[in-house]
Amino acid sequence: MEKKQLLLVSKNQDFSKKIIEQVSVNYEITVEKSIHVAYNIALTLLPDTIFFDKTSYSKASDFRNLKNFKSTHFLTKSFLVVYGRNEDLMIMKKRYKSLIDEYLPENMEMDQIAALVLKNCGQKNFNYWHDCFMGLFNLMAQPIVLLQQNNIIAMNDAFKKVFRIEKTNGVKLTDLVNIENKAKVKTSLRNFARGKHMKAVTTTSLLVHNDKLRNARISFSKLSRSITDQFIMLIDFSGDEYFIDDNIGSHADQVEKCFKENSELTDFSFTKREKEVIALLCKGYKTKEISETLFISPKTIEKHRSNIIKRTNSETILESIIYAINHNLVDFPMS
């Protein structure tokens, strides 16, 4: 089972060490001394639990920005815990009211503190954003799909219109990606779904209807860390919009690199001989006829065919020809 994320804000190293010893089985723990820095870390980690050790901060002003930790909807579902002296907790209860989810007095034993933290582990309803998003799914103008790793399990109306796909049965994201090693894409998506990163924003080429390729900026984002293997993909064919705030959620570099490589595959040109072979193939010439026309052996022609298929990341020579035409990689004389 994947561990939950705990952000521990404390200047007391001994206290932090004891907390880590008690709850590290269930939590992946990040410790930070600065409350200001802790907020930026929270936006990156989107932790399940945020634990403040008020006893290690003497100034009342240290916690004046505590409300920021619940000011963005990315953090409203985090479980906020404050550990402190009774007099400080009384003041905070009046000042922050329902903002803090749990108040732990200083005289509480460590095993009791750990028990309460573990009890609240995953207590929040983290399906909330998933449900809200699905309710708005078809109202969004951009093509959007809900993925379970490589499998498309839901798509909005805009996606259906652009890609001319009506049903999700058996449709995979790799069906839309013209990339040399599709296994690499599958592995990358699987690692993203199961990993701790919350987003990936990159560029790629996508296959739309009639085998046409269009460049796009795509954004992957998890709706919740607790929903295993599922995330959304938003598509922007103009490449001008940014769907995911760069300051929120950690990036999955592997996914971004993998799909960016797909967009770079078109940055090449065929050799003169390959263009000649493709031109003759378009006229319906067979291997033997091409060999006789170009005065090279059939074996060499087969090698050219193989290279063309490989370089265009296609499965057949017909797909390679379509790819070449769509990308204006060859010149055909007017008949």
Side-chain angles (χ1 to χ4, degrees):
M1 183 180 67
E2 184 182 351
K3 289 185 179 182
K4 301 289 185 180
Q5 292 286 331
L6 170 64
L7 174 59
L8 175 58
V9 186
S10 175
K11 293 182 179 179
N12 189 329
Q13 292 184 353
D14 291 335
F15 180 81
S16 299
K17 184 178 179 180
K18 291 177 181 177
I19 288 285
I20 293 171
E21 289 174 350
Q22 292 278 349
V23 303
S24 59
V25 174
N26 297 77
Y27 281 103
E28 186 173 316
I29 304 167
T30 301
V31 181
E32 177 52 49
K33 296 179 181 179
S34 166
I35 296 177
H36 174 71
V37 174
Y39 176 68
N40 293 323
I41 292 175
L43 286 176
T44 299
L45 289 179
L46 306 183
D48 301 274
T49 301
I50 303 174
F51 189 110
F52 288 98
D53 171 24
K54 179 65 174 69
T55 63
S56 62
Y57 300 89
S58 57
K59 298 180 181 178
S61 60
D62 287 337
F63 277 69
R64 65 180 182 274
N65 295 323
L66 186 64
K67 61 183 179 180
N68 289 344
F69 286 83
K70 286 292 184 79
S71 64
T72 170
H73 64 262
F74 289 98
L75 294 175
T76 52
K77 293 302 173 181
S78 294
F79 197 84
L80 198 60
V81 180
V82 174
Y83 168 78
R85 303 173 186 86
N86 285 326
E87 56 269 28
D88 290 332
L89 296 182
M90 290 295 292
I91 294 173
M92 296 184 79
K93 285 181 180 179
K94 292 180 180 179
R95 183 173 298 173
Y96 299 109
K97 297 181 181 179
S98 60
L99 182 70
I100 299 171
D101 297 295
E102 189 78 64
Y103 296 88
L104 305 180
E106 184 183 25
N107 59 1
M108 182 174 285
E109 297 293 331
M110 182 56 66
D111 57 346
Q112 293 178 299
I113 294 173
L116 284 171
V117 172
L118 292 172
K119 178 182 177 183
N120 293 318
C121 179
Q123 181 175 328
K124 289 283 185 177
N125 178 20
F126 279 89
N127 287 330
Y128 174 78
W129 290 111
H130 176 272
D131 295 339
C132 285
F133 176 80
M134 294 309 294
L136 296 171
F137 201 50
N138 286 317
L139 298 179
M140 302 180 77
Q142 293 87 359
I144 306 172
V145 292
L146 181 64
L147 297 165
Q148 184 154 5
Q149 293 185 24
N150 185 38
N151 300 309
I152 297 177
I153 58 177
M155 50 185 146
N156 71 344
D157 291 338
F159 185 91
K160 294 177 182 178
K161 181 178 180 180
V162 171
F163 290 89
R164 307 287 177 87
I165 299 174
E166 288 298 326
K167 297 181 180 180
T168 60
N169 297 347
V171 180
K172 301 180 183 299
L173 180 57
T174 47
D175 296 335
L176 312 176
V177 177
N178 188 15
I179 197 164
E180 183 173 2
N181 188 359
K182 292 190 176 184
K184 182 180 179 182
V185 174
K186 295 177 184 178
T187 301
S188 181
L189 292 173
R190 182 172 63 250
N191 291 340
F192 172 64
R194 296 177 179 177
K196 65 181 181 180
H197 301 293
M198 295 299 293
K199 66 181 179 182
V201 183
T202 187
T203 55
T204 190
S205 295
L206 295 176
L207 285 166
V208 296
H209 62 91
N210 297 328
D211 291 325
K212 291 182 179 179
L213 276 164
R214 292 186 65 183
N215 293 325
R217 180 181 177 86
I218 58 174
S219 304
F220 295 98
S221 178
K222 295 178 183 177
L223 293 172
S224 167
R225 201 188 302 278
S226 66
I227 303 176
T228 306
D229 288 354
Q230 288 189 16
F231 48 95
I232 60 171
M233 182 180 81
L234 299 90
I235 303 170
D236 172 34
F237 286 114
S238 69
D240 297 328
E241 297 183 26
Y242 295 83
F243 295 107
I244 302 175
D245 193 321
D246 285 338
N247 296 319
I248 297 176
S250 55
H251 279 271
D253 295 333
Q254 181 187 20
V255 175
E256 297 181 8
K257 180 181 178 182
C258 179
F259 282 88
K260 188 178 178 68
E261 288 174 353
N262 179 64
S263 66
E264 294 171 349
L265 291 174
T266 60
D267 296 334
F268 70 89
S269 60
F270 290 112
T271 65
K272 180 180 179 181
R273 184 64 80 186
E274 287 170 343
K275 289 181 179 180
E276 291 173 341
V277 171
I278 292 175
L280 292 173
L281 286 170
C282 289
K283 293 180 179 181
Y285 281 44
K286 305 297 183 184
T287 298
K288 184 179 179 181
E289 295 170 323
I290 297 175
S291 173
E292 293 172 350
T293 303
L294 299 179
F295 302 104
I296 52 179
S297 69
K299 186 175 181 179
T300 302
I301 298 300
E302 290 297 332
K303 185 176 181 180
H304 283 308
R305 287 169 60 109
S306 178
N307 288 338
I308 292 168
I309 291 172
K310 183 178 180 181
R311 293 179 66 199
T312 56
N313 312 303
S314 305
E315 295 182 2
T316 66
I317 193 64
L318 177 59
E319 290 182 15
S320 298
I321 293 171
I322 294 173
Y323 181 90
I325 294 172
N326 287 339
H327 288 82
N328 297 317
L329 298 174
V330 289
D331 298 319
F332 298 105
M334 298 297 291
S335 56

